[in-house]
């Protein structure tokens, strides 16, 4: 087998990114992409790389995942995550989990240590304990901003739908030097959602899908719309029909918009290592590394390019 050139693509969520948060979001996706790429460069698997990239964003309060997650109607954090291995089609997911820092780690353990694919709420909590994952107080995950937004959404004249536009699910897709693909997605869900609500993220084929025969994708946007069209699997279907990652992504996003009025964003890598980052929302923070060059952006048509060495140097200086 010819050695593949590894590629990683990450997103920090589609929606509306407020001006004062732009720099932090850009820096966050760039950092995640560089970390994932470092794993691939050292010969790590695509699964390792996407887990590492997503973990990096879960730990970054700029994103709606892990620390910084939005709050449900009761003012608590409930998180969803999924990871999938394109070689075996094995997948692991968790939904409505609380009081852990990195749901993506737990999803990976579900994939590798159980015969199941999705654990929820209390069962996921018991499994986390059994696996020795440290519990942290729920408050530790709540940022001032999430709390403010939750309060605003409780006001009688508020429109939570308005606020749900800056969704900020995080995700990553990768292809490693063996040609294996993987995806990972993690989120705090919708602001002021009903308790126990599970969105697209934890659902295989909606929040993400990976298959060595075609490629891998991770999605972000309005969860219920994404589930209606099974967005991740739809994109891979279009690639199986011969479309490029970009055409497949645009076609699927367009269908979701016309059919159910849903907006979102996706990142895609195909089995040849071609990638795309596309969105129908105003913005989506994204970054990719291929051939030791880093590309990133937030707005439609925006693309910055740096060499990885240059990017790592500015990382060390604090971006």
């Amino acid at each position: 087998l010819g050695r593949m050139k590894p590629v990683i693509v990450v997103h920090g969520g589609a929606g509306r990114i407020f001006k004062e948060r732009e720099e932090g979001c850009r820096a966050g996706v760039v950092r995640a992409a560089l970390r994932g790429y470092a794993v691939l460069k050292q010969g790590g698997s695509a699964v390792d790389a996407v887990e590492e990239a997503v973990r990096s964003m879960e730990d970054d309060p700029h994103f709606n995942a892990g620390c910084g997650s939005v709050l449900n109607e009761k003012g608590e954090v409930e998180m969803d995550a999924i990871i999938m291995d394109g070689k075996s089609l094995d997948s692991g997911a968790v939904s409505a989990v609380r009081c852990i820092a990195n749901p993506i780690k737990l999803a990976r353990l579900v994939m590798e240590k159980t015969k199941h694919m999705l654990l929820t709420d209390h069962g996921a909590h018991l499994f986390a304990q059994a696996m020795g994952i440290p519990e942290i107080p729920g408050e530790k995950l709540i940022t001032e901003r999430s709390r403010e937004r939750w309060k605003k959404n409780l006001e009688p004249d508020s429109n939570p739908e308005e606020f749900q536009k800056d969704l900020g699910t995080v995700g990553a897709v990768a292809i490693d030097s063996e040609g294996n693909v993987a995806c990972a997605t993690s989120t705090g869900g919708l602001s002021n959602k009903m308790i126990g609500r599970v969105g697209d993220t934890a659902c295989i084929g909606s929040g993400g899908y990976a298959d060595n025969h075609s490629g891998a994708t991770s999605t972000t946007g309005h969860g219920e719309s994404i589930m209606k069209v099974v967005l991740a699997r739809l994109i891979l279907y279009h690639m199986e029909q011969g479309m490029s990652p970009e055409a497949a992504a645009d076609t699927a996003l367009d269908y979701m918009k016309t059919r159910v009025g849903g907006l979102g964003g996706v990142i895609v890598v195909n089995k040849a290592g071609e990638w795309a980052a596309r969105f129908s929302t105003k913005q989506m923070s994204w970054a990719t590394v291929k051939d030791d060059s880093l590309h990133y952006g937030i707005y439609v048509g925006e693309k910055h390019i740096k060499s990885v060495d240059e990017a790592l140097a500015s990382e060390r200086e604090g971006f």
Side-chain angles (χ1 to χ4, degrees):
L1 270 176
R3 304 288 280 171
M4 278 294 305
K5 282 193 167 142
V7 182
I8 185 150
V9 195
V10 306
H11 70 72
R16 187 182 51 192
I17 296 162
F18 297 104
K19 267 280 181 264
E20 74 275 7
R21 303 178 59 76
E22 255 180 43
E23 272 323 293
C25 286
R26 268 199 201 95
V29 288
V30 164
R31 183 180 307 119
L34 290 170
R35 285 194 180 168
Y37 191 66
V39 170
L40 295 170
K41 279 299 262 196
Q42 289 152 16
S45 68
V47 172
D48 287 339
V50 294
E51 181 190 6
E52 177 60 29
V54 165
R55 200 178 58 79
S56 162
M57 291 183 285
E58 284 177 340
D59 292 341
D60 184 332
H62 282 93
F63 303 108
N64 172 15
C67 176
S69 287
V70 298
L71 312 186
N72 67 12
E73 58 185 0
K74 278 270 194 286
E76 300 159 341
V77 166
E78 287 187 306
M79 302 166 290
D80 300 340
I82 193 169
I83 193 163
M84 186 167 182
D85 180 348
K87 187 178 183 177
S88 57
L89 301 189
D90 284 337
S91 174
V94 292
S95 75
V97 297
R98 302 156 180 260
C99 303
I100 61 168
N102 298 110
I104 200 65
K105 281 174 100 152
L106 191 57
R108 171 108 189 237
L109 289 167
V110 170
M111 174 169 81
E112 294 183 345
K113 306 283 187 207
T114 78
K115 291 191 173 73
H116 306 311
M117 292 178 93
L118 171 58
L119 290 181
T120 185
D121 201 350
H122 184 58
H125 171 73
L126 293 175
F127 176 64
Q129 281 182 327
M131 290 288 118
I133 290 191
E135 217 174 299
I136 59 172
E139 298 74 67
K140 272 244 159 74
L141 297 170
I142 298 178
T143 59
E144 196 47 48
R145 174 168 178 268
S146 297
R147 170 100 51 213
E148 283 304 303
R149 256 176 56 182
W150 173 70
K151 281 198 193 121
K152 258 208 182 80
N153 288 345
L154 290 179
E155 290 165 11
D157 57 347
S158 87
N159 174 10
E161 306 293 306
E162 224 356 82
F163 278 96
Q164 288 166 1
K165 296 217 166 54
D166 61 327
L167 292 168
T169 299
V170 306
V173 294
I175 187 165
D176 60 29
S177 54
E178 310 279 312
N180 294 315
V181 298
C183 69
T185 313
S186 180
T187 190
L190 283 182
S191 193
N192 297 62
K193 62 190 177 182
M194 286 174 69
I195 291 175
R197 177 261 190 188
V198 177
D200 65 296
T201 299
C203 300
I204 190 171
S206 292
Y209 201 81
D211 182 349
N212 280 7
H213 294 165
S214 45
T217 178
S218 167
T219 67
T220 166
H222 184 245
E224 282 72 12
S225 299
I226 290 170
M227 291 156 94
K228 286 175 187 176
V229 302
V230 197
L231 186 62
R233 191 65 193 83
L234 182 60
I235 292 166
L236 292 195
Y237 164 78
H238 287 315
M239 295 204 300
E240 288 157 4
Q241 304 301 303
M243 282 189 193
S244 69
E246 194 158 295
D250 287 347
T251 304
L253 283 168
D254 192 50
Y255 177 71
M256 183 167 83
K257 191 174 180 177
T258 52
R259 185 70 180 83
V260 298
L263 301 180
V266 298
I267 49 173
V268 191
V269 65
N270 70 8
K271 63 180 181 185
E274 299 165 325
W275 63 274
R278 310 292 290 170
F279 47 100
S280 53
T281 49
K282 280 210 169 65
Q283 291 145 291
M284 179 179 81
S285 53
W286 62 273
T288 185
V289 185
K290 180 180 181 176
D291 279 337
D292 288 315
S293 107
L294 164 78
H295 300 227
Y296 61 98
I298 287 186
Y299 292 95
V300 176
E302 176 194 357
K303 185 191 270 189
H304 304 282
I305 304 180
K306 280 184 179 178
S307 77
V308 165
D309 292 341
E310 189 189 340
L312 285 170
S314 54
E315 262 291 275
R316 279 189 289 272
E317 287 152 26
F319 213 78

